[in-house]
Amino acid sequence: MRLSKFLSTTSFFTCLLVSFAFVSCDVLSSGDDNLQPPDTYEFTRDGASSVAYPGQTDRLNMLGEMDAYLGRGDDGQTLSEQVLLDMYTNAGGDGGGNFSFTSDRQLANKTFAPDRDEQLFENLFADAAAASQNGANGVTASDGTAGLLVRENSGNTILVDEKGREFGQLIEKGLMGAVFYNQIFNVYLTDARIGPDVENEDLAEGANYTPKEHHFDEAFGYWGVPVDFQSDWPEDREDEPRFWGHYSDVVDNVRDGMLGTNSTIMDAFIRGRTAIVNKDEAALDEQVDILYEQLELVAAATAVHYINDTLGHLSAGNTGEAFHTLSEAWAFVNALKYSPRRAITVDQIETIQNSRFGQNGNFWKVTADGLNQAKSTLLNVYPDLEPVQDEL
Amino acid sequence: MHRLKHFALPLLLLLAFAVLPAGCDLAGSGESESDFDRAAMLRNYGENLALPAFEALKTEADELQAAAAAFSGEQNASSLADLREELKHARLAWQHASLYSFGPAEMRLLRPSLNTYPVDTAQVEENIASGEYDLGAVGQRDAAGFPAMGYMLYGLEEDDAALLERYRAGNGGEEALQYLSDLANQIQSLAGATLADWQGSGGDYLGTFLSEERAGTDKGSSLGMMFNAYVLHFERFLRSGKIGIPSGVLSAGVPRPRATEAYYGGYSAELALANLRAVRRFFRGEDTEGIDGPGLRDNLQAAGADELASEIEAKMQEAENALQGVSDPLSAQIENDNEPVLDAFTRLQDVVSLVKADMASVLGVTITYQDNDGD
């Protein structure tokens, strides 16, 4: 039902009058087709929030707890393949007893289909568990042998495979791509979920949102940020953005905020959601385009950031630190493949992973030339990174 | 990622200045660009210290390669002596160039490629036998560069007669000569490429280094990068690498004499002393001819930190005196009388803390090389 301008103006003044008495005042009732984008990712209907993404929050928490479990392998304890599988499939609703919470969601069934076909993560769990036996026996990793490497700056160890790749990064960042980005890119931002034909009048059963609104919120939920996230994010709140939100923040403020990904992406989410409320398809498309481009840019920028770090660590003689950051770079390059609109080709991704980061993806064979070529490829494909290539 | 938030200190200092009586001596804050020409200082470092250091390295690397080629042509006592001499010259040149392990040198991984030690002799032997290796690979660092060449010229056999015999045809000599020549070529090619990166006719990193964009003290600024590289070098590659690790300081007091820089050639102490002298000259802004240009010491003085500048000078002198009490071969010194080596380590450590904490804070530069990304 639509309110006339007169009515809405009247109700606005009425509101203004009573707002001294009531805490909240709902100007923007359903069907108002002229919502202005709010400052934060907060939307209401009839005075109550219309935003919900508990399933995404669950999955972020699952990955967080899997990551903590993988940390035991870094510390030289043994890892159980079964525990990792149970967490991945959320066996019994509590990750086989390994989650601190219960949920009816899981990471496994949201994983990029080709990765599932190849058993990519199941194989990594098996390899990590096997390697952790070496770690528990105090085996130092070397070319061809999985085991532990010391990160020189902290003295902590990491568990790496026979190619020097850190399992924790391959799995954690791997799932950030194969689940979180995959779901944003291939599910929630697609026409099937937020296109013109998706229900945007009637509310979903028992909910305060339309299906279209909710799908968009689920994309936002996978990004992992507080609702008031923005550029030049304060240091005392830097723990709040998680996973992709955290990495946006890592690259946001280079050279006086030249990339500014936090606000660019946040604004696109807010404006996109506003466009859905306003039933403005053109405005929504515009924001979705920005999201595809900028979310991909974050992964590419983070990859360049970690290539730079790797060169620095190698130059300083720190192999453990270097293999940690190169594992990060490897996984962030990998994440680029999940966007159907990717600017980079699968060939380029695989060349970086399997040649530039060492022959056959073996970090022990990585060279300065290879790292610089990988960086050049990324700068060519993502020219926005050119001016900040050395500061990332 | 760490954002630099060091405007609180200058602000406090400004307030302090406002309420202090004139003539009160207070350490500066690195923001006093008004009375110190930082651009001139950077130009001095770039044009008169860094660039000549890479030019000298390139010259010596060319001569090393030529001597290796001559040795390949004829293996005798004289060609071996020439080659050893050229290796030493190149390693002495490296003691200057290694201070500039940022920018092109970092991009090309010059330091790990040229000077990783101790040598993995098993890897070297395996490489000689297989003929299959990529000397640029991370996993080959300890079988490449100057230390590996040192092993090839001094440590491959028991004595010089046997060594020359090893290189002669029919004894697998071709493979050994091939490896020697590959080592020399790699050193030459890296030294040449890094110099070209710095030169105006090449990558013009000197231009980048002096550009307005890189002024200031932030992460990515020329001063920030250069100072971080300087302190990192001092702490990890001079203090620990050349002295601390071989003397056992970092291995529960158990010495590691084989972990000296020129273990096979036996002149590690000489290299360490040359490096400390290069570090001292750098502090002053002095080139290898002894011509003193604007340097970090002047910057400290301009910022009102005369006392700190004098203290650093004094401690560097003490470290140099201590190092002069260490004899070559350093490995023998460590095994027979480790005390002077441990003393040298302590003296070097005294300088490190002054440079890394006090000097960094006066300059307004943040030490970033130990940052972890927290995951």
Side-chain angles (χ1 to χ4, degrees), chain A residues 280-356:
Chain A
D280 184 343
E281 296 297 337
L284 174 59
D285 284 347
E286 206 176 313
Q287 301 309 317
V288 167
D289 289 349
I290 294 171
L291 288 173
Y292 273 103
E293 182 192 85
Q294 292 288 316
L295 289 168
E296 183 181 350
L297 187 69
V298 166
T302 308
V304 171
H305 162 70
Y306 280 120
I307 291 171
N308 285 341
D309 277 3
T310 302
L311 285 163
H313 290 316
L314 286 174
S315 184
N318 294 337
T319 307
E321 294 291 346
F323 282 16
H324 164 73
T325 52
L326 191 51
S327 302
E328 299 253 24
W330 194 96
F332 280 103
V333 168
N334 191 66
L336 295 168
K337 79 180 181 205
Y338 296 105
S339 173
R341 303 193 195 177
R342 61 185 165 264
I344 195 168
T345 67
V346 171
D347 262 1
Q348 287 172 310
I349 292 171
E350 288 178 349
T351 299
I352 291 176
Q353 289 181 314
N354 302 328
S355 305
R356 303 290 179 245

Coordinates of all heavy atoms in Angstrom, one line a residue, chain A residues 280-356:
Chain A
D280 N 13.5 -0.5 -7.2 CA 14.2 0.2 -8.3 C 15.3 -0.7 -8.9 O 16.4 -0.8 -8.4 CB 14.9 1.5 -7.7 CG 15.5 2.3 -8.8 OD1 15.8 1.8 -9.9 OD2 15.8 3.5 -8.5
E281 N 14.9 -1.5 -9.9 CA 15.8 -2.5 -10.5 C 17.1 -1.9 -11.0 O 18.1 -2.5 -10.9 CB 15.1 -3.3 -11.6 CG 13.9 -4.1 -11.1 CD 14.2 -5.2 -10.1 OE1 15.4 -5.6 -10.1 OE2 13.3 -5.6 -9.3
A282 N 17.0 -0.8 -11.7 CA 18.1 -0.2 -12.3 C 19.2 0.2 -11.3 O 20.4 -0.1 -11.4 CB 17.8 1.0 -13.1
A283 N 18.7 0.8 -10.2 CA 19.6 1.2 -9.1 C 20.2 0.0 -8.5 O 21.4 0.0 -8.1 CB 18.8 2.0 -8.1
L284 N 19.4 -1.1 -8.3 CA 19.9 -2.3 -7.7 C 21.1 -2.9 -8.6 O 22.1 -3.2 -8.1 CB 18.8 -3.3 -7.5 CG 19.2 -4.7 -7.0 CD1 20.0 -4.7 -5.7 CD2 18.0 -5.7 -6.9
D285 N 20.8 -3.0 -9.9 CA 21.8 -3.5 -10.8 C 23.1 -2.8 -10.7 O 24.2 -3.3 -10.7 CB 21.3 -3.4 -12.3 CG 20.3 -4.5 -12.5 OD1 20.1 -5.4 -11.7 OD2 19.6 -4.4 -13.6
E286 N 23.0 -1.5 -10.6 CA 24.2 -0.6 -10.5 C 25.0 -1.0 -9.3 O 26.3 -1.1 -9.4 CB 23.7 0.8 -10.4 CG 24.7 1.9 -10.9 CD 24.0 3.3 -10.8 OE1 22.8 3.4 -11.2 OE2 24.7 4.2 -10.2
Q287 N 24.4 -1.2 -8.2 CA 25.1 -1.5 -6.9 C 25.7 -2.9 -7.0 O 26.8 -3.2 -6.5 CB 24.2 -1.4 -5.7 CG 23.6 0.1 -5.6 CD 24.7 1.1 -5.6 OE1 25.7 1.0 -5.0 NE2 24.4 2.2 -6.3
V288 N 24.9 -3.8 -7.6 CA 25.4 -5.2 -7.7 C 26.7 -5.3 -8.6 O 27.6 -6.0 -8.2 CB 24.3 -6.1 -8.3 CG1 24.8 -7.5 -8.7 CG2 23.2 -6.3 -7.3
D289 N 26.7 -4.5 -9.6 CA 27.9 -4.4 -10.5 C 29.1 -3.9 -9.6 O 30.2 -4.5 -9.7 CB 27.7 -3.4 -11.6 CG 26.8 -3.9 -12.7 OD1 26.4 -5.1 -12.6 OD2 26.4 -3.1 -13.5
I290 N 28.9 -2.9 -8.8 CA 29.9 -2.4 -7.9 C 30.4 -3.5 -6.9 O 31.6 -3.7 -6.7 CB 29.5 -1.2 -7.1 CG1 29.2 0.0 -8.1 CG2 30.5 -0.8 -6.0 CD1 28.6 1.2 -7.4
L291 N 29.4 -4.3 -6.4 CA 29.8 -5.3 -5.5 C 30.7 -6.4 -6.1 O 31.7 -6.8 -5.6 CB 28.5 -6.0 -4.9 CG 27.8 -5.1 -3.9 CD1 26.5 -5.7 -3.4 CD2 28.7 -4.8 -2.6
Y292 N 30.3 -6.9 -7.3 CA 31.1 -7.9 -8.0 C 32.5 -7.4 -8.2 O 33.5 -8.1 -7.9 CB 30.5 -8.2 -9.3 CG 29.5 -9.4 -9.2 CD1 28.1 -9.1 -9.3 CD2 29.9 -10.7 -9.1 CE1 27.1 -10.1 -9.2 CE2 28.9 -11.7 -9.0 CZ 27.6 -11.4 -9.1 OH 26.7 -12.4 -9.0
E293 N 32.6 -6.1 -8.6 CA 33.9 -5.6 -9.0 C 34.8 -5.4 -7.7 O 36.0 -5.8 -7.7 CB 33.7 -4.3 -9.7 CG 35.0 -3.7 -10.2 CD 34.9 -2.2 -10.6 OE1 34.9 -1.3 -9.8 OE2 34.7 -2.0 -11.8
Q294 N 34.2 -4.8 -6.7 CA 35.0 -4.4 -5.6 C 35.3 -5.6 -4.7 O 36.4 -5.6 -4.1 CB 34.2 -3.3 -4.8 CG 34.1 -2.0 -5.5 CD 35.5 -1.3 -5.5 OE1 36.2 -1.2 -4.6 NE2 35.8 -0.8 -6.7
L295 N 34.4 -6.5 -4.5 CA 34.7 -7.7 -3.7 C 35.9 -8.5 -4.4 O 36.8 -9.0 -3.7 CB 33.5 -8.6 -3.5 CG 32.4 -8.0 -2.6 CD1 31.1 -8.8 -2.7 CD2 32.8 -8.0 -1.2
E296 N 35.9 -8.6 -5.7 CA 37.0 -9.2 -6.4 C 38.3 -8.5 -6.2 O 39.3 -9.0 -5.9 CB 36.6 -9.3 -7.9 CG 37.7 -10.1 -8.7 CD 37.4 -10.2 -10.2 OE1 36.3 -9.8 -10.6 OE2 38.3 -10.6 -10.9
L297 N 38.1 -7.1 -6.2 CA 39.3 -6.3 -6.0 C 40.0 -6.5 -4.7 O 41.2 -6.5 -4.5 CB 38.9 -4.8 -6.2 CG 40.1 -3.8 -6.2 CD1 41.0 -4.0 -7.5 CD2 39.6 -2.4 -6.1
V298 N 39.1 -6.7 -3.6 CA 39.7 -7.0 -2.3 C 40.5 -8.2 -2.3 O 41.6 -8.2 -1.7 CB 38.5 -7.1 -1.2 CG1 39.1 -7.7 0.1 CG2 37.9 -5.8 -1.0
A299 N 40.1 -9.3 -2.9 CA 40.8 -10.5 -3.0 C 42.2 -10.3 -3.7 O 43.2 -10.7 -3.3 CB 40.0 -11.6 -3.6
A300 N 42.1 -9.6 -4.8 CA 43.3 -9.3 -5.6 C 44.3 -8.4 -4.9 O 45.5 -8.7 -4.8 CB 42.9 -8.7 -7.0
A301 N 43.8 -7.4 -4.2 CA 44.6 -6.5 -3.5 C 45.3 -7.2 -2.3 O 46.4 -7.0 -2.0 CB 43.8 -5.3 -2.9
T302 N 44.5 -8.1 -1.6 CA 45.0 -8.8 -0.5 C 46.1 -9.8 -1.0 O 47.2 -10.0 -0.4 CB 43.9 -9.6 0.2 OG1 42.9 -8.7 0.5 CG2 44.5 -10.2 1.5
A303 N 45.9 -10.4 -2.2 CA 47.0 -11.2 -2.8 C 48.3 -10.4 -3.0 O 49.4 -10.9 -2.7 CB 46.5 -11.9 -4.1
V304 N 48.1 -9.2 -3.6 CA 49.3 -8.4 -3.8 C 50.0 -8.0 -2.5 O 51.2 -8.1 -2.4 CB 49.0 -7.1 -4.6 CG1 50.1 -6.2 -4.7 CG2 48.5 -7.5 -6.0
H305 N 49.2 -7.7 -1.5 CA 49.7 -7.4 -0.2 C 50.5 -8.5 0.4 O 51.6 -8.3 0.9 CB 48.5 -7.1 0.7 CG 48.8 -7.2 2.2 ND1 49.5 -6.2 2.9 CD2 48.4 -8.1 3.2 CE1 49.6 -6.5 4.2 NE2 48.9 -7.7 4.4
Y306 N 50.0 -9.7 0.2 CA 50.8 -10.9 0.7 C 52.0 -11.3 -0.2 O 53.0 -11.8 0.4 CB 49.9 -12.1 1.0 CG 49.1 -11.9 2.3 CD1 47.7 -11.9 2.3 CD2 49.8 -11.8 3.5 CE1 47.0 -11.8 3.5 CE2 49.1 -11.7 4.7 CZ 47.7 -11.7 4.7 OH 47.1 -11.6 5.9
I307 N 51.9 -11.0 -1.4 CA 53.1 -11.2 -2.3 C 54.2 -10.2 -1.8 O 55.4 -10.6 -1.6 CB 52.8 -11.0 -3.8 CG1 51.9 -12.1 -4.3 CG2 54.1 -10.9 -4.6 CD1 51.4 -11.9 -5.7
N308 N 53.9 -8.9 -1.6 CA 54.8 -8.0 -1.0 C 55.4 -8.5 0.3 O 56.6 -8.4 0.5 CB 54.2 -6.6 -0.8 CG 53.9 -5.9 -2.1 OD1 54.5 -6.2 -3.2 ND2 53.0 -4.9 -2.1
D309 N 54.6 -8.9 1.2 CA 55.0 -9.4 2.5 C 56.0 -10.6 2.3 O 57.0 -10.7 3.0 CB 53.8 -9.9 3.3 CG 53.2 -8.8 4.0 OD1 53.6 -7.6 3.8 OD2 52.2 -9.0 4.8
T310 N 55.7 -11.4 1.3 CA 56.5 -12.6 1.1 C 57.9 -12.2 0.6 O 58.9 -12.7 1.1 CB 55.9 -13.5 0.0 OG1 54.5 -13.9 0.5 CG2 56.7 -14.8 -0.2
L311 N 58.0 -11.2 -0.3 CA 59.3 -10.7 -0.7 C 60.0 -10.2 0.5 O 61.2 -10.4 0.6 CB 59.1 -9.7 -1.8 CG 58.7 -10.2 -3.2 CD1 58.2 -9.1 -4.1 CD2 59.9 -10.8 -3.9
G312 N 59.3 -9.4 1.3 CA 60.0 -8.8 2.5 C 60.5 -9.9 3.4 O 61.6 -9.8 3.9
H313 N 59.7 -10.9 3.7 CA 60.1 -11.9 4.6 C 61.3 -12.8 4.0 O 62.2 -13.1 4.8 CB 58.9 -12.9 4.9 CG 57.9 -12.3 5.7 ND1 58.1 -11.5 6.8 CD2 56.5 -12.3 5.7 CE1 57.0 -11.1 7.4 NE2 56.0 -11.5 6.7
L314 N 61.2 -13.0 2.8 CA 62.3 -13.8 2.2 C 63.6 -13.0 2.2 O 64.7 -13.5 2.5 CB 62.0 -14.2 0.7 CG 61.0 -15.3 0.6 CD1 60.6 -15.5 -0.9 CD2 61.5 -16.6 1.2
S315 N 63.5 -11.7 1.9 CA 64.6 -10.8 1.9 C 65.2 -10.7 3.3 O 66.4 -10.6 3.5 CB 64.2 -9.4 1.4 OG 65.3 -8.6 1.3
A316 N 64.4 -10.8 4.3 CA 64.9 -10.8 5.7 C 65.3 -12.2 6.2 O 65.6 -12.3 7.4 CB 63.8 -10.2 6.6
G317 N 65.2 -13.2 5.3 CA 65.7 -14.5 5.7 C 64.7 -15.3 6.5 O 65.1 -16.3 7.1
N318 N 63.4 -14.9 6.5 CA 62.4 -15.6 7.3 C 61.6 -16.5 6.5 O 60.5 -16.1 6.0 CB 61.6 -14.6 8.0 CG 62.3 -13.8 9.0 OD1 63.4 -14.2 9.5 ND2 61.9 -12.6 9.4
T319 N 62.0 -17.8 6.3 CA 61.3 -18.7 5.5 C 59.9 -19.0 6.1 O 58.9 -19.1 5.3 CB 62.1 -20.0 5.4 OG1 63.4 -19.7 4.9 CG2 61.4 -21.0 4.4
G320 N 59.8 -19.2 7.4 CA 58.5 -19.6 8.0 C 57.5 -18.4 7.8 O 56.3 -18.7 7.4
E321 N 57.9 -17.2 8.0 CA 57.0 -16.1 7.8 C 56.6 -16.0 6.3 O 55.5 -15.7 5.9 CB 57.7 -14.7 8.2 CG 58.0 -14.6 9.7 CD 56.7 -14.4 10.5 OE1 55.7 -14.1 10.0 OE2 56.8 -14.6 11.7
A322 N 57.6 -16.2 5.4 CA 57.4 -16.1 4.0 C 56.4 -17.2 3.5 O 55.5 -16.9 2.7 CB 58.7 -16.3 3.2
F323 N 56.5 -18.4 4.0 CA 55.6 -19.4 3.6 C 54.2 -19.2 4.1 O 53.2 -19.6 3.5 CB 56.1 -20.8 3.9 CG 57.2 -21.3 3.0 CD1 57.9 -20.4 2.2 CD2 57.6 -22.6 3.0 CE1 58.9 -20.9 1.3 CE2 58.6 -23.1 2.1 CZ 59.2 -22.2 1.3
H324 N 54.1 -18.6 5.3 CA 52.8 -18.2 5.8 C 52.1 -17.2 4.9 O 51.0 -17.4 4.5 CB 52.9 -17.6 7.2 CG 51.7 -16.9 7.7 ND1 50.5 -17.5 8.1 CD2 51.5 -15.6 7.8 CE1 49.6 -16.6 8.4 NE2 50.2 -15.4 8.2
T325 N 52.8 -16.2 4.6 CA 52.2 -15.1 3.7 C 52.0 -15.6 2.3 O 51.0 -15.2 1.6 CB 53.0 -13.8 3.7 OG1 54.4 -14.1 3.4 CG2 53.0 -13.1 5.1
L326 N 52.9 -16.5 1.8 CA 52.7 -17.0 0.5 C 51.5 -17.9 0.4 O 50.8 -18.0 -0.6 CB 54.0 -17.7 0.0 CG 54.0 -18.1 -1.5 CD1 53.7 -17.0 -2.4 CD2 55.4 -18.7 -1.8
S327 N 51.2 -18.7 1.5 CA 50.0 -19.5 1.6 C 48.8 -18.6 1.6 O 47.8 -18.9 0.9 CB 50.0 -20.3 2.9 OG 51.1 -21.1 3.0
E328 N 48.9 -17.5 2.2 CA 47.8 -16.5 2.2 C 47.6 -16.0 0.7 O 46.4 -16.0 0.2 CB 48.1 -15.3 3.1 CG 48.2 -15.6 4.5 CD 47.1 -15.1 5.4 OE1 46.0 -14.9 4.8 OE2 47.2 -14.8 6.6
A329 N 48.7 -15.6 0.1 CA 48.6 -15.1 -1.3 C 48.0 -16.2 -2.2 O 47.1 -15.9 -3.0 CB 50.0 -14.7 -1.8
W330 N 48.4 -17.4 -2.0 CA 48.0 -18.5 -2.8 C 46.4 -18.7 -2.7 O 45.7 -18.8 -3.7 CB 48.6 -19.8 -2.4 CG 48.5 -21.0 -3.3 CD1 49.4 -21.4 -4.2 CD2 47.4 -21.9 -3.4 NE1 49.0 -22.5 -4.9 CE2 47.8 -22.9 -4.4 CE3 46.2 -22.1 -2.7 CZ2 46.9 -23.9 -4.7 CZ3 45.4 -23.1 -3.0 CH2 45.7 -24.1 -4.0
A331 N 45.9 -18.6 -1.5 CA 44.5 -18.8 -1.3 C 43.7 -17.6 -1.7 O 42.6 -17.7 -2.2 CB 44.3 -19.1 0.2
F332 N 44.3 -16.4 -1.6 CA 43.5 -15.2 -2.1 C 43.5 -15.2 -3.6 O 42.5 -14.7 -4.2 CB 44.1 -13.9 -1.5 CG 43.6 -13.7 -0.1 CD1 44.4 -13.9 1.0 CD2 42.3 -13.3 0.1 CE1 44.0 -13.7 2.3 CE2 41.8 -13.1 1.4 CZ 42.7 -13.3 2.5
V333 N 44.5 -15.6 -4.3 CA 44.5 -15.7 -5.7 C 43.4 -16.8 -6.1 O 42.6 -16.6 -7.0 CB 45.9 -16.1 -6.3 CG1 45.8 -16.6 -7.7 CG2 46.8 -15.0 -6.1
N334 N 43.4 -17.8 -5.3 CA 42.4 -18.9 -5.6 C 41.0 -18.4 -5.5 O 40.1 -18.8 -6.3 CB 42.6 -20.0 -4.5 CG 41.9 -21.3 -4.9 OD1 42.1 -21.9 -5.9 ND2 40.8 -21.6 -4.1
A335 N 40.8 -17.5 -4.5 CA 39.4 -17.0 -4.3 C 38.9 -16.2 -5.5 O 37.7 -16.0 -5.7 CB 39.4 -16.1 -3.1
L336 N 39.8 -15.7 -6.4 CA 39.4 -14.9 -7.5 C 38.5 -15.7 -8.5 O 37.7 -15.2 -9.3 CB 40.6 -14.3 -8.3 CG 41.4 -13.3 -7.5 CD1 42.7 -13.1 -8.2 CD2 40.6 -12.0 -7.3
K337 N 38.7 -17.1 -8.4 CA 38.0 -17.9 -9.4 C 36.5 -18.1 -9.2 O 35.8 -18.6 -10.0 CB 38.7 -19.3 -9.5 CG 38.4 -20.2 -8.4 CD 39.1 -21.6 -8.6 CE 38.7 -22.5 -7.5 NZ 39.8 -23.5 -7.3
Y338 N 36.1 -17.6 -8.0 CA 34.7 -17.9 -7.7 C 33.7 -16.9 -8.3 O 32.5 -17.1 -8.2 CB 34.5 -18.0 -6.1 CG 35.3 -19.2 -5.6 CD1 36.5 -19.0 -4.9 CD2 34.8 -20.5 -5.8 CE1 37.2 -20.1 -4.4 CE2 35.6 -21.6 -5.4 CZ 36.7 -21.4 -4.7 OH 37.4 -22.4 -4.2
S339 N 34.2 -15.8 -8.8 CA 33.3 -14.8 -9.4 C 33.0 -15.1 -10.9 O 34.0 -15.2 -11.6 CB 33.9 -13.4 -9.3 OG 33.0 -12.5 -10.0
P340 N 31.7 -15.2 -11.2 CA 31.4 -15.5 -12.6 C 31.8 -14.3 -13.5 O 31.9 -14.4 -14.7 CB 29.9 -15.7 -12.6 CG 29.4 -15.0 -11.4 CD 30.5 -15.1 -10.4
R341 N 32.0 -13.1 -12.9 CA 32.4 -11.9 -13.7 C 33.9 -11.6 -13.5 O 34.3 -10.5 -13.8 CB 31.6 -10.7 -13.2 CG 30.1 -10.9 -13.2 CD 29.4 -9.6 -13.0 NE 28.0 -9.7 -12.7 CZ 27.3 -8.6 -12.4 NH1 27.8 -7.4 -12.4 NH2 26.0 -8.7 -12.2
R342 N 34.7 -12.6 -13.1 CA 36.1 -12.3 -12.8 C 36.8 -11.6 -13.9 O 36.6 -12.0 -15.1 CB 36.8 -13.6 -12.3 CG 36.8 -14.6 -13.4 CD 37.4 -15.9 -12.9 NE 37.0 -17.0 -13.9 CZ 36.0 -17.8 -13.8 NH1 35.2 -17.7 -12.8 NH2 35.7 -18.6 -14.8
A343 N 37.7 -10.7 -13.6 CA 38.5 -10.0 -14.6 C 39.7 -10.9 -15.0 O 40.2 -10.8 -16.1 CB 39.0 -8.7 -14.1
I344 N 40.1 -11.8 -14.1 CA 41.2 -12.6 -14.4 C 40.7 -13.9 -15.0 O 39.6 -14.4 -14.7 CB 42.0 -12.8 -13.0 CG1 43.4 -13.4 -13.3 CG2 41.2 -13.7 -12.1 CD1 44.3 -13.3 -12.0
T345 N 41.6 -14.6 -15.7 CA 41.2 -15.9 -16.3 C 41.6 -17.0 -15.4 O 42.5 -16.9 -14.6 CB 41.8 -16.1 -17.7 OG1 43.2 -16.3 -17.5 CG2 41.5 -14.9 -18.6
V346 N 40.9 -18.2 -15.5 CA 41.3 -19.3 -14.8 C 42.7 -19.7 -15.1 O 43.5 -20.1 -14.2 CB 40.3 -20.5 -15.0 CG1 40.8 -21.8 -14.4 CG2 39.0 -20.1 -14.4
D347 N 43.1 -19.6 -16.4 CA 44.5 -19.9 -16.8 C 45.5 -19.0 -16.0 O 46.5 -19.5 -15.5 CB 44.7 -19.6 -18.3 CG 44.6 -20.9 -19.1 OD1 44.3 -21.9 -18.5 OD2 44.7 -20.8 -20.3
Q348 N 45.2 -17.7 -15.9 CA 46.1 -16.9 -15.2 C 46.2 -17.2 -13.7 O 47.3 -17.2 -13.1 CB 45.7 -15.4 -15.3 CG 45.9 -14.8 -16.7 CD 45.2 -13.4 -16.9 OE1 44.1 -13.3 -16.5 NE2 46.0 -12.5 -17.3
I349 N 45.1 -17.6 -13.1 CA 45.0 -18.0 -11.7 C 45.9 -19.3 -11.6 O 46.8 -19.3 -10.7 CB 43.6 -18.3 -11.3 CG1 42.8 -17.0 -11.2 CG2 43.6 -19.0 -9.9 CD1 41.3 -17.2 -11.0
E350 N 45.7 -20.2 -12.4 CA 46.5 -21.5 -12.3 C 48.0 -21.3 -12.6 O 48.8 -22.0 -11.9 CB 45.8 -22.6 -13.2 CG 44.5 -23.0 -12.6 CD 43.8 -24.0 -13.5 OE1 44.2 -24.3 -14.6 OE2 42.8 -24.6 -13.0
T351 N 48.3 -20.4 -13.5 CA 49.7 -20.1 -13.7 C 50.4 -19.6 -12.5 O 51.5 -20.0 -12.1 CB 49.9 -19.2 -14.9 OG1 49.3 -19.8 -16.1 CG2 51.3 -18.9 -15.2
I352 N 49.7 -18.6 -11.9 CA 50.2 -18.1 -10.6 C 50.4 -19.2 -9.6 O 51.5 -19.3 -9.0 CB 49.3 -16.9 -10.1 CG1 49.4 -15.7 -11.0 CG2 49.8 -16.5 -8.7 CD1 48.4 -14.6 -10.6
Q353 N 49.3 -20.0 -9.4 CA 49.4 -21.0 -8.3 C 50.4 -22.1 -8.6 O 51.1 -22.6 -7.7 CB 48.0 -21.6 -8.1 CG 47.0 -20.6 -7.5 CD 45.6 -21.3 -7.3 OE1 45.1 -22.0 -8.3 NE2 45.1 -21.2 -6.2
N354 N 50.5 -22.5 -9.8 CA 51.2 -23.7 -10.1 C 52.6 -23.5 -10.7 O 53.4 -24.4 -10.9 CB 50.5 -24.6 -11.1 CG 49.1 -25.0 -10.5 OD1 49.0 -25.1 -9.2 ND2 48.1 -25.2 -11.3
S355 N 52.9 -22.2 -11.1 CA 54.2 -21.9 -11.7 C 54.9 -20.7 -10.9 O 56.0 -20.8 -10.5 CB 54.1 -21.6 -13.2 OG 53.5 -22.6 -13.9
R356 N 54.1 -19.6 -10.9 CA 54.8 -18.4 -10.3 C 55.1 -18.6 -8.8 O 56.0 -18.0 -8.3 CB 53.8 -17.2 -10.5 CG 53.5 -16.9 -12.0 CD 54.6 -16.4 -12.8 NE 54.3 -16.2 -14.1 CZ 54.7 -16.9 -15.2 NH1 55.6 -17.9 -15.0 NH2 54.3 -16.7 -16.4

